[in-house]
């Protein structure tokens, strides 16, 4: 049985409550942005979690019992994540937490779950580098996506690159990776622009791009403004002579709302596209559409959450316990899972997934055509920097050297 709690019904916590090791059981917490500006991602993340739990419960649950879900709406507000994480842990006594979209939400949650000592699953593409014994990342990291995207972009368009990104850690750290992989592949960053999320007029940026004369632009704007940049880029006639690539285009179904003029030909790299052709994805899409309909394509973050819930359930059943240390040991044993995006396996050192990375091209039908599949791509940077088996006390967010 699943329990859904409204985010607006948060419990006031007293200072006398303290965090300890999670008690045994099959109750999990979910905190996603079900309302507010980020709900285009959060609703699908939550839907994926509910669907995964339904499937697992139909097959016997974990430890012979059904999983119970305690769900909160973060309302696209960072403060709600800390509030509801505390509530879910202290009042609801969850044994694992699935939560967050933005890197800021992840970093707000990590100290709380670390103190509480419960497994935390972050399921979103991100800039990379999170390293924490209780944190498990099932989205693709920037090093996985950028390594393939920049190599492809330089060989396809040419060596000159312009970066357009949001001015916070996702954008700035991702830009470091553009520089890194440009150097490795004989490319050169000829300009970059970091903009607040509130920007909607991209004329100054477009002028800078025209002056820099890049072969292609790495575009990383976030949220609804992303479509504005792409539409303005196309309207200025830049698509005719400058390529445009992205690691987050399509992650919020931007391809559905942009005009065919703007969306056709945009190159995206991601760990999942709905167009992936394999038996597991066919089954997953059929199950998803039977429950949620066919109006909205499935985003990569939904599959990241689906994978996280299944990996957690596999670990609990393997450990024959939902106790934190036993579950983490099982997760670090090299668990793998036949997922909608292809086989995924958990790297024991970094707590990141080795997974497929796809390069796809936007088409005129508001969808994607997959061009290249890179199989079993490791999170090399995270595995090099972060060895949680050797040093379980690590609690860092590593960033690449500039």
């Amino acid at each position: 049985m699943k329990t859904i709690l409204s985010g607006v019904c948060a419990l006031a916590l007293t200072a006398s409550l303290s965090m300890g090791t999670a008690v045994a059981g099959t109750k999990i917490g979910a905190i996603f942005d079900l309302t507010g500006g980020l709900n285009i991602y959060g609703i699908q993340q939550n839907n994926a979690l509910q669907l995964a739990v339904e499937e697992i419960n139909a097959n016997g649950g974990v430890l012979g019992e059904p999983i119970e879900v305690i769900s909160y709406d973060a309302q696209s507000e960072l403060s709600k994540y800390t509030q509801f994480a505390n509530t879910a842990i202290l009042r609801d006594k969850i044994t694992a937490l699935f939560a967050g979209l933005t890197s800021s939400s992840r970093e707000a949650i990590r100290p709380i779950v670390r103190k509480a000592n419960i497994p935390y699953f972050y399921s979103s593409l991100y800039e990379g580098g999170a390293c924490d014994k209780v944190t498990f990342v099932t989205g693709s990291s920037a090093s996985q996506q950028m390594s393939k995207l920049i190599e492809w972009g330089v060989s396809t368009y040419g060596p000159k690159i312009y970066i357009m990104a949001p001015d916070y850690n996702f954008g700035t750290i991702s830009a470091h990776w553009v520089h890194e992989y440009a150097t490795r592949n004989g490319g050169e960053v000829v300009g970059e622009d970091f903009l607040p999320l509130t920007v909607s007029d991209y004329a100054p940026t477009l002028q800078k791009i025209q002056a820099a004369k890049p072969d292609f632009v790495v575009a990383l704007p976030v949220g609804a403004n992303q479509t504005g940049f792409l539409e303005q880029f196309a309207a200025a006639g830049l698509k005719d002579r400058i390529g445009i690539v992205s690691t987050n285009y399509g992650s919020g179904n931007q391809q559905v709302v942009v005009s065919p003029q703007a969306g056709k030909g945009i190159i995206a790299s991601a760990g999942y596209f709905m167009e992936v052709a394999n038996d597991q994805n066919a089954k997953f899409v059929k199950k998803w559409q039977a429950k949620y309909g066919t109006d909205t394509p499935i985003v990569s973050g939904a599959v990241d959450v689906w994978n996280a819930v299944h990996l957690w359930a596999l670990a609990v059943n393997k450990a024959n316990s939902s106790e934190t240390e036993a579950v983490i040991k099982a997760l670090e044993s090299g668990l793998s899972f036949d997922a909608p995006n292809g086989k995924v396996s958990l790297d024991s050192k970094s707590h990141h997934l080795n997974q497929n990375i796809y390069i796809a091209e936007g088409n005129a039908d508001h969808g994607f055509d997959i061009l290249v599949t890179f199989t079993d791509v490791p999170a090399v940077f995270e595995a090099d920097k972060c060895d949680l088996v050797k040093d379980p006390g690590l609690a860092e967010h590593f960033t690449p050297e500039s």
Side-chain angles (χ1 to χ4, degrees):
M1 179 180 297
K2 302 190 290 289
T3 301
I4 308 296
L5 300 181
S6 169
V8 297
C9 298
L11 179 71
L13 302 178
T14 63
S16 62
L17 291 173
S18 61
M19 298 183 185
T21 301
V23 298
T26 56
K27 189 184 295 185
I28 63 174
I31 310 173
F32 297 115
D33 299 300
L34 307 182
T35 58
L38 298 175
N39 74 335
I40 56 175
Y41 310 93
I43 289 172
Q44 286 211 19
Q45 288 180 302
N46 192 67
N47 285 351
L49 181 137
Q50 301 294 336
L51 194 63
V53 168
E54 283 185 13
E55 179 175 273
I56 294 165
N57 284 347
N59 291 316
V62 296
L63 306 178
E65 298 179 356
I67 302 167
E68 181 183 358
V69 180
I70 309 298
S71 181
Y72 287 93
D73 175 13
Q75 304 164 49
S76 301
E77 295 181 17
L78 185 60
S79 62
K80 299 294 185 185
Y81 275 102
T82 56
Q83 179 184 357
F84 297 150
N86 279 311
T87 302
I89 291 166
L90 298 173
R91 186 190 70 179
D92 301 320
K93 306 299 182 184
I94 61 170
T95 57
L97 180 64
F98 302 80
L101 172 77
T102 63
S103 293
S104 54
S105 66
R106 181 195 67 250
E107 293 307 297
I109 290 169
R110 280 208 301 149
I112 297 171
V113 292
R114 185 164 60 247
K115 186 176 181 181
N117 191 34
I118 66 166
Y120 165 49
F121 292 84
Y122 176 64
S123 302
S124 176
L125 66 89
Y126 86 120
E127 72 282 353
C131 177
D132 198 311
K133 189 68 173 178
V134 301
T135 297
F136 297 84
V137 179
T138 58
S140 50
S141 72
S143 62
Q144 289 173 304
Q145 291 178 270
M146 282 295 183
S147 62
K148 304 305 181 185
L149 183 63
I150 300 304
E151 178 185 7
W152 187 93
V154 170
S155 65
T156 302
Y157 296 117
K160 296 181 179 179
I161 305 168
Y162 195 98
I163 302 169
M164 183 274 166
D167 191 16
Y168 74 104
N169 51 358
F170 168 71
T172 55
I173 297 175
S174 294
H176 280 295
W177 286 117
V178 177
H179 282 271
E180 173 75 17
Y181 292 114
T183 300
R184 292 190 191 185
N185 291 283
E188 175 191 7
V189 175
V190 296
E192 53 191 0
D193 207 359
F194 299 98
L195 300 171
L197 294 176
T198 53
V199 169
S200 59
D201 179 7
Y202 290 100
T205 298
L206 297 176
Q207 291 172 1
K208 294 176 184 177
I209 292 172
Q210 287 177 306
K213 298 180 179 179
D215 295 308
F216 65 101
V217 174
V218 178
L220 304 172
V222 171
N225 287 345
Q226 181 165 21
T227 60
F229 173 77
L230 299 172
E231 293 287 358
Q232 292 172 43
F233 186 87
L238 298 182
K239 278 186 66 183
D240 297 334
R241 58 184 187 275
I242 301 172
I244 186 165
V245 305
S246 179
T247 58
N248 61 333
Y249 176 67
S251 65
N253 274 330
Q254 295 88 352
Q255 80 281 5
V256 174
V257 296
V258 299
S259 65
Q261 177 193 12
K264 188 175 186 297
I266 293 176
I267 301 298
S269 70
Y272 175 80
F273 292 94
M274 193 171 170
E275 292 80 2
V276 167
N278 64 47
D279 290 342
Q280 290 301 322
N281 191 42
K283 293 175 184 177
F284 171 74
V285 171
K286 182 178 180 180
K287 186 184 294 285
W288 180 282
Q289 292 182 337
K291 186 172 181 65
Y292 301 120
T294 61
D295 291 342
T296 306
I298 305 166
V299 301
S300 59
V303 171
D304 296 338
V305 173
W306 170 272
N307 293 345
V309 177
H310 277 281
L311 286 167
W312 169 80
L314 286 171
V316 172
N317 283 330
K318 180 174 183 176
N320 198 31
S321 170
S322 62
E323 190 272 329
T324 295
E325 279 68 28
V327 171
I328 290 178
K329 183 178 179 180
L331 286 165
E332 291 180 345
S333 68
L335 283 183
S336 63
F337 171 63
D338 288 325
N341 53 329
K343 185 176 181 179
V344 300
S345 59
L346 188 66
D347 177 66
S348 58
K349 295 197 305 180
S350 68
H351 291 187
H352 284 63
L353 287 186
N354 299 329
Q355 57 186 308
N356 294 353
I357 295 295
Y358 300 91
I359 291 182
E361 181 178 22
N363 59 41
D365 298 320
H366 300 284
F368 290 98
D369 299 319
I370 294 177
L371 303 179
V372 186
T373 301
F374 298 94
T375 59
D376 198 29
V377 178
V380 174
F381 171 72
E382 286 74 23
D384 286 346
K385 290 287 188 180
C386 178
D387 189 342
L388 292 163
V389 175
K390 181 178 179 180
D391 187 358
L394 273 175
E396 301 284 347
H397 184 195
F398 293 104
T399 59
E401 295 178 357
S402 57

